[in-house]
Amino acid sequence: MESTDVKSVENVNDEVDSKILKQLEYYFSDTNLPYDKFLQNEIKEDDGWVKISVLLTFKRLASISKDPLVIANAIQKATSSIVEVNENKDKIRRKPEKVIPIADQEYLNEMIERSIYCKGFPKTATMDELLDYAASLKDFKITKVIPRKQKTKEFKGTLYFTFETKEQAEAFLKLESVKYGDVELEREWEKDFLDQKKVEYDQKLARKDQKQKAETEKYFKKGYLIKADNLTDAVSVDKIKEICSSYEWQVAFVKINEDKLSAWIRLKPVTIAEELLKNIADKTNDLNITFSLPEDSVEQSVLNEMTKEMKGILQMKDKMKRERNKNKGAKRFNNKRKNEDSNSANKKLKTNGN
């Protein structure tokens, strides 16, 4: 009986050690460490070493064991691990010979090349359950599990599995069936999924831009915007308007930009800006202000902003008008009520007098 109990305890300890090792190897892995800013800052402080007490602030490790000595011993036993423990058993680091990859775009692209997008997980699934599922796929070594989340941080039910090699990822994709519980998982290359999402995003932006453009055209026509540059603090809206007037430009609006060095001049839709600038090509002004046509995309962007401002002004005016009408209505009601009360009082006086 005693021998069985000892073996049972040993099995439990081995299981805990295995979980500790797996978690720490993930923290210091190629797929996590290059992107973990917190750990990156820590390893710079002490030749790569990170205090176990610091690592225990990570909830997933602390959920396995909160005992620093247990964690240190688990790493010490694992001689072939990518991590090691110091002599005092209070710090852990990635072995110096295991060079940390540089987290550049090339490395990210290489990771994406061996990653699979999967859909069909319950939105209630926890990270532990997803990691356990990844570990249950015995024929594959999944080095990273990246759940996709809503803005509210809730799990979307989709994720990326990053495999040790592209060949493993391809073999996983070619499996006839992969299930999570009773649900068949939809699978495709992460790169293909991201490409499709980019297409959808670009289409969404195009629709938004088209809608904004149509909205702007209700207020402003293109071709009547001029940019003024080389402004100084002494240049005011009125000064710019004076110069425009000297050129016989019909100006609707002038706005000095935040940098105070440039301004936008919106003309009345009489003569296009290009023609006006041709007419003053050989002219100068006392303030040495230069005038130019904006690029098409810049003009659209500026007019979009002006449209937002215009709509805001109109909405404010409309709100103020409603408030005035509301106050007038209340005033008329109060006057009517006073008249009724006065008439009622007069009737009572007459009745009492009779």
Side-chain angles (χ1 to χ4, degrees):
M1 185 70 178
E2 184 180 347
S3 176
T4 304
D5 289 343
V6 170
K7 286 183 179 180
S8 177
V9 171
E10 288 177 349
N11 289 337
V12 170
N13 289 340
D14 288 343
E15 184 179 349
V16 170
D17 288 348
S18 177
K19 287 182 177 180
I20 290 171
L21 180 63
K22 184 177 179 181
Q23 192 59 44
L24 285 168
E25 286 189 330
Y26 169 72
Y27 291 150
F28 289 90
S29 68
D30 289 358
T31 51
N32 181 71
L33 188 54
Y35 300 98
D36 192 320
K37 292 182 180 179
F38 178 80
L39 273 182
Q40 282 282 353
N41 290 331
E42 289 294 319
I43 64 177
K44 290 176 183 176
E45 298 296 323
D46 188 13
D47 195 27
W49 293 106
V50 181
K51 292 180 181 179
I52 294 177
S53 59
V54 171
L55 293 169
L56 279 172
T57 62
F58 298 171
K59 292 181 180 179
R60 197 164 298 282
L61 178 62
S63 69
I64 302 170
S65 175
K66 293 183 175 64
D67 189 334
L69 190 59
V70 170
I71 292 170
N73 287 335
I75 301 304
Q76 191 174 48
K77 293 175 189 175
T79 55
S80 61
S81 174
I82 64 168
V83 292
E84 61 184 359
V85 64
N86 67 346
E87 291 183 3
N88 293 335
K89 294 186 176 183
D90 62 350
K91 298 177 183 178
I92 290 171
R93 72 175 177 182
R94 178 176 168 129
K95 290 179 179 177
E97 62 269 23
K98 303 290 184 180
V99 181
I100 303 170
I102 299 173
D104 55 14
Q105 190 61 45
E106 183 180 352
Y107 181 68
L108 177 61
N109 291 340
E110 189 276 326
M111 278 184 59
I112 291 174
E113 287 290 331
R114 50 189 168 90
S115 298
I116 302 295
Y117 165 80
C118 298
K119 178 181 179 180
F121 298 93
K123 294 180 180 180
T124 55
T126 65
M127 188 63 186
D128 284 332
E129 290 170 340
L130 297 174
L131 290 171
D132 288 343
Y133 175 75
S136 72
L137 302 170
K138 300 296 184 182
D139 295 332
F140 305 95
K141 185 173 181 181
I142 296 174
T143 58
K144 193 165 188 177
V145 178
I146 309 175
R148 299 181 66 246
K149 296 184 178 181
Q150 309 277 6
K151 290 181 180 179
T152 57
K153 305 299 182 182
E154 294 176 345
F155 179 43
K156 282 186 173 184
T158 62
L159 54 71
Y160 304 120
F161 280 149
T162 300
F163 292 79
E164 189 173 38
T165 64
K166 185 176 180 179
E167 290 71 26
Q168 282 194 26
E170 189 171 16
F172 177 76
L173 190 59
K174 287 181 177 179
L175 290 175
E176 186 175 339
S177 174
V178 178
K179 291 185 175 182
Y180 184 88
D182 296 328
V183 179
E184 185 72 31
L185 295 180
E186 297 178 28
R187 293 160 289 147
E188 64 177 304
W189 287 108
E190 179 182 348
K191 184 178 184 303
D192 292 343
F193 174 75
L194 293 177
D195 287 345
Q196 180 57 38
K197 294 301 288 184
K198 184 179 184 306
V199 170
E200 292 174 4
Y201 180 72
D202 289 344
Q203 290 174 343
K204 182 180 178 181
L205 279 184
R207 290 193 297 270
K208 184 178 179 181
D209 288 346
Q210 194 61 37
K211 184 179 179 181
Q212 179 65 66
K213 186 177 179 181
E215 183 72 20
T216 297
E217 288 175 351
K218 294 178 183 177
Y219 296 93
F220 308 116
K221 291 182 179 180
K222 292 183 71 173
Y224 298 92
L225 193 69
I226 291 177
K227 188 180 182 187
D229 284 300
N230 201 34
L231 273 60
T232 64
D233 292 338
V235 177
S236 64
V237 169
D238 289 337
K239 289 282 187 182
I240 296 173
K241 285 183 176 181
E242 284 179 17
I243 293 174
C244 293
S245 180
S246 70
Y247 293 153
E248 298 184 353
W249 292 356
Q250 298 187 45
V251 174
F253 180 78
V254 174
K255 179 183 179 182
I256 295 178
N257 296 321
E258 289 183 8
D259 61 8
K260 307 295 184 184
L261 302 175
S262 61
W264 291 108
I265 302 168
R266 182 165 55 80
L267 304 165
K268 293 180 181 179
V270 178
T271 306
I272 61 172
E274 187 175 6
E275 290 296 324
L276 294 180
L277 289 180
K278 284 180 182 178
N279 295 336
I280 66 159
D282 57 347
K283 295 182 180 180
T284 59
N285 56 79
D286 295 339
L287 298 176
N288 294 319
I289 296 174
T290 59
F291 300 98
S292 62
L293 290 175
E295 293 181 4
D296 186 71
S297 60
V298 174
E299 180 180 17
Q300 187 65 56
S301 178
V302 172
L303 292 179
N304 288 347
E305 286 301 314
M306 288 185 176
T307 298
K308 290 180 184 177
E309 292 175 8
M310 177 68 77
K311 288 176 68 177
I313 292 170
L314 293 176
Q315 287 171 0
M316 181 61 70
K317 286 182 177 179
D318 187 53
K319 182 179 178 181
M320 291 171 66
K321 184 178 178 181
R322 289 197 304 269
E323 288 293 330
R324 284 197 301 269
N325 291 337
K326 183 179 177 181
N327 292 335
K328 286 179 181 178
K331 189 175 180 180
R332 284 196 297 268
F333 175 79
N334 290 334
N335 289 338
K336 183 180 178 183
R337 186 71 179 268
K338 286 179 181 178
N339 290 334
E340 289 175 349
D341 290 344
S342 178
N343 292 335
S344 177
N346 289 334
K347 286 180 181 179
K348 288 180 179 179
L349 287 171
K350 289 179 181 179
T351 302
N352 292 335
N354 291 334

